[in-house]
Amino acid sequence: VQLQASGGGLVQAGGSLRLSCAVSGRRFSSYDAGWFRQAPGKEHEFVAAITYRGGSTNYADSVKGRFTISRDNAKNTVYLQMNSLKPEDTAIYHCAAKHFSTPGLYNYWSQGTQVTVSS
């Protein structure tokens, strides 16, 4: 499975961005997916996740009500809509995937896409 994240950029506080993660190589509809981020000097942290059929989502408390994860299995793509962005959302964002039957951590990762929020 190969993942390609895109959509990052520079935005002012209060603005919006939509990240995309294109997945290739396997039947994407059998894979759970998630977004993670790492800010300078901070640990890698969970942002949002969605199950393989899209029936369940989960968010970090810091982004609840502002970010929305979704997927289009026909397009083999996962999205992260980010609204009301804050400077503390500045980070490198990665998408990740794992087969729904695989317990534990994600085992497929994208390269990062930089999100910078100016105050």
Side-chain angles (χ1 to χ4, degrees):
V1 177
Q2 294 82 43
L3 287 74
Q4 178 77 33
S6 62
L10 174 63
V11 64
Q12 288 189 331
S16 298
L17 281 174
R18 188 176 80 157
L19 304 184
S20 298
C21 178
V23 183
S24 62
R26 295 288 176 91
R27 184 179 174 184
F28 176 56
S29 57
S30 297
Y31 286 77
D32 297 331
W35 287 94
F36 294 77
R37 67 187 182 187
Q38 186 163 22
K42 295 187 177 182
E43 293 187 355
H44 203 228
E45 66 172 350
F46 166 78
V47 176
I50 188 166
T51 53
Y52 66 109
R53 291 181 178 175
S56 179
T57 57
N58 189 28
Y59 297 92
D61 287 343
S62 59
V63 306
K64 279 182 182 176
R66 300 188 298 121
F67 289 12
T68 302
I69 188 171
S70 62
R71 65 191 294 158
D72 185 337
N73 285 345
K75 295 183 178 179
N76 286 359
T77 303
V78 180
Y79 304 99
L80 185 68
Q81 178 66 44
M82 305 186 295
N83 298 329
S84 301
L85 282 161
K86 303 175 181 180
E88 51 264 43
D89 295 317
T90 295
I92 297 174
Y93 286 70
H94 300 262
C95 60
K98 68 176 185 71
H99 193 271
F100 75 89
S101 65
T102 301
L105 302 177
Y106 292 93
N107 52 349
Y108 298 101
W109 292 85
S110 73
Q111 88 299 348
T113 186
Q114 176 72 48
V115 172
T116 302
V117 184
S118 62
S119 57

